[in-house]
Amino acid sequence: MKKHEWREKTNEGATRLVTATRHGGKWKLQSRLKSDTEWTQFPVIELEDLETLRELLWNKYQRNRIPHEQVLEIDALIEAAKQNE
């Protein structure tokens, strides 16, 4: 299982912690506010989170830390999310 993590600020100024994992060829995302203790699981990953994950993966790919196939998987998920909007 491969785990990718990032932090971002919400509109209210709180810190949101996000973890994306890939296991068995499937991507899962969970997040929580820094002040919370419980993680929220997302059965469907939102487009904004997919785009952030894609940027993170692209940077890791540039440093030869992940295979290019993972970037392509996220690209396909982004295209599917755009079609469903």
Side-chain angles (χ1 to χ4, degrees):
M1 177 170 45
K2 196 74 169 161
K3 187 189 315 187
H4 307 282
E5 301 174 323
W6 70 91
R7 298 169 187 249
E8 59 190 20
K9 292 284 185 185
T10 64
N11 293 337
E12 295 80 31
T15 301
R16 178 179 179 233
L17 308 173
V18 185
T19 301
T21 56
R22 181 179 181 273
H23 183 68
K26 295 187 179 187
W27 288 93
K28 295 183 182 179
L29 187 103
Q30 63 182 6
S31 73
R32 71 177 176 95
L33 294 178
K34 191 174 181 182
S35 59
D36 293 342
T37 57
E38 297 292 321
W39 289 89
T40 302
Q41 303 281 336
F42 293 92
V44 177
I45 304 174
E46 295 181 15
L47 180 60
E48 185 177 311
D49 289 329
L50 284 171
E51 290 172 339
T52 302
L53 177 59
R54 202 259 185 217
E55 183 179 334
L56 180 81
L57 291 178
W58 180 253
N59 292 338
K60 287 185 177 186
Y61 167 70
Q62 293 291 329
R63 297 187 307 268
N64 292 320
R65 294 182 57 209
I66 64 163
H68 190 249
E69 290 77 27
Q70 290 186 15
V71 177
L72 295 177
E73 287 175 7
I74 296 301
D75 286 343
L77 291 175
I78 289 172
E79 287 302 316
K82 286 181 179 178
Q83 290 177 358
N84 290 334
E85 285 189 334

